Amino acid sequence: MILTLLAIDLGVFNRKDHAPTIREALFFTAGAAALALSFSVLIYQLYERQWLGLGMSVDAVTGMPNTGRIALAKFLSGYVIELSLSADNVFVIALIFQYLRVPAPLQHRVLFWGILGALVMRGLMIVIGATLVSRYHWILYLFGAFLIVTAYRMLRSGVGDTADVTDNPVMRLLRKRFPVTADYHGRHFLVIENGKRALTPLAVALVLVESTDLVFAIDSIPAIFAITTDPFLVFTSNVFAILGLRSLYFALAGAMAKFRYLKTALAAILMVVGAKMLAAELIKEYIGPNFSYYLLAIVALILVAGVLASMVAHRRDQARVRDGAA
């Protein structure tokens, strides 16, 4: 299913390199969200009827097998968390493209192959993580503490701070070990220059995007393990969030300044998820197996609050500018 969607994307909608308009980006973002919601219906059926053996094993988070309703809630919670954490990744990708001056029509190509690599990397990380958690349940507490520390560092770094692309060790290593052309060569990642193979700046952008996703996966995958340790739910929620990342980039990249409080909201989400992992047994005792629904509601409220606060602050700034000009 994933390969079919990517093939349609590359071979039908984006056969020619072009820069998607905001309208196109919003359309594809909505389409990706609709696919995720449609797949959640399939998730319910798979676990309710225990097809393919799903829903028969015990989930280490709740200590019981996942029924259709519980699996549905966990999938949607994981999807919302992964998608919201991906929004911060969008801003870093925008910085990479801006620094390397990646032509707008070629950005989609970098993101497409970057997503393929991200799917493979996250799949491996999820399999390893799920295996470790199933054998050593106490690792969940380490994940929880790690998320809280990450959230604290996020808040301490400041709302407006961004990563320094020029100081990226991956970029320094690439330029040290491989020849890199000064100019772009169309859509090519590798060319022959002066009789030798050389990377193009497009290849450098791809490697940086991949390394960025790896860094963000270190935060996001422990977050999803706060909800479920079922590898199928963890991977599919990650997949649908990543599938929407490319269109989300084109929808948000031009409006980064409007979302100043999004980073604060993401830090709050990580803190809530981390606290939930540390107090999982207590929460399960008082709330029961349905706490996934409450977690989904809390994450959604924090995300909406961050977006609304950012929009209100942006409009207030615009009003002050207009008043000053008058």
Side-chain angles (χ1 to χ4, degrees):
M1 178 183 176
I2 295 164
L3 292 177
T4 301
L5 290 173
L6 292 175
I8 292 172
D9 185 348
L10 188 64
V12 179
F13 294 111
N14 295 283
R15 187 163 44 187
K16 295 182 179 180
D17 293 328
H18 73 289
T21 63
I22 293 180
R23 184 176 180 180
E24 287 177 329
L26 290 174
F27 173 78
F28 283 109
T29 301
L35 281 174
L37 290 176
S38 300
F39 191 78
S40 68
V41 177
L42 179 60
I43 287 285
Y44 176 84
Q45 293 296 331
L46 287 171
Y47 281 82
E48 189 68 16
R49 301 176 185 275
Q50 295 184 339
W51 290 342
L52 304 175
L54 295 172
M56 297 182 68
S57 58
V58 174
D59 193 324
V61 173
T62 56
M64 61 179 65
N66 291 317
T67 63
R69 286 179 63 251
I70 294 175
L72 175 65
K74 289 180 177 181
F75 171 80
L76 291 176
S77 299
Y79 172 71
V80 171
I81 289 176
E82 295 300 319
L83 191 63
S84 59
L85 293 176
S86 295
D88 206 25
N89 199 359
V90 165
F91 299 151
V92 178
I93 291 173
L95 287 173
I96 292 171
F97 286 166
Q98 182 180 355
Y99 174 75
L100 294 175
R101 294 184 176 88
V102 179
L106 297 178
Q107 292 178 4
H108 177 274
R109 181 171 174 80
V110 174
L111 291 173
F112 177 85
W113 291 108
I115 283 171
L116 274 180
L119 291 175
V120 175
M121 281 193 304
R122 294 199 181 207
L124 291 174
M125 293 177 69
I126 288 167
V127 169
I128 294 171
T131 303
L132 289 174
V133 169
S134 64
R135 294 183 180 181
Y136 311 104
H137 186 269
W138 52 266
I139 288 180
L140 288 174
Y141 298 109
L142 289 183
F143 283 168
F146 172 74
L147 291 177
I148 291 176
V149 172
T150 302
Y152 172 74
R153 290 177 61 186
M154 239 174 159
L155 289 173
R156 190 177 178 184
S157 66
V159 175
D161 289 357
T162 52
D164 185 3
V165 179
T166 61
D167 194 38
N168 192 298
V170 176
M171 177 177 284
R172 293 200 305 268
L173 181 63
L174 273 179
R175 294 190 180 278
K176 182 179 179 181
R177 295 298 181 95
F178 302 97
V180 180
T181 63
D183 302 316
Y184 285 88
H185 292 261
R187 54 178 15 222
H188 298 292
F189 293 110
L190 191 67
V191 295
I192 303 296
E193 190 174 72
N194 298 325
K196 296 182 179 180
R197 294 182 183 271
L199 299 178
T200 67
L202 201 66
V204 176
L206 175 60
V207 173
L208 287 177
V209 168
E210 292 284 13
S211 62
T212 297
D213 182 77
L214 179 61
V215 171
F216 277 92
I218 293 173
D219 293 338
S220 63
I221 289 179
I224 190 69
F225 277 126
I227 300 167
T228 179
T229 57
D230 187 313
F232 187 73
L233 291 176
V234 175
F235 183 68
T236 51
S237 60
N238 264 268
V239 164
F240 281 97
I242 292 173
L243 287 177
L245 176 61
R246 186 176 60 258
S247 53
L248 186 66
Y249 165 78
F250 288 106
L252 293 181
M256 289 190 295
K258 294 182 181 180
F259 299 99
R260 67 181 70 179
Y261 294 122
L262 186 59
K263 188 173 183 179
T264 304
L266 297 180
I269 289 172
L270 285 179
M271 198 162 289
V272 167
V273 173
K276 182 263 169 191
M277 293 181 89
L278 293 177
E281 295 298 326
L282 188 63
I283 293 172
K284 186 167 63 177
E285 180 180 347
Y286 282 94
I287 300 179
N290 292 326
F291 64 78
S292 294
Y293 293 101
Y294 296 103
L295 183 61
L296 174 60
I298 292 171
V299 169
L301 284 174
I302 293 174
L303 190 59
V304 170
V307 171
L308 292 178
S310 299
M311 294 175 66
V312 169
H314 182 71
R315 289 180 180 177
R316 188 184 301 130
D317 290 344
Q318 286 183 323
R320 288 174 181 172
V321 171
R322 287 196 299 266
D323 293 340

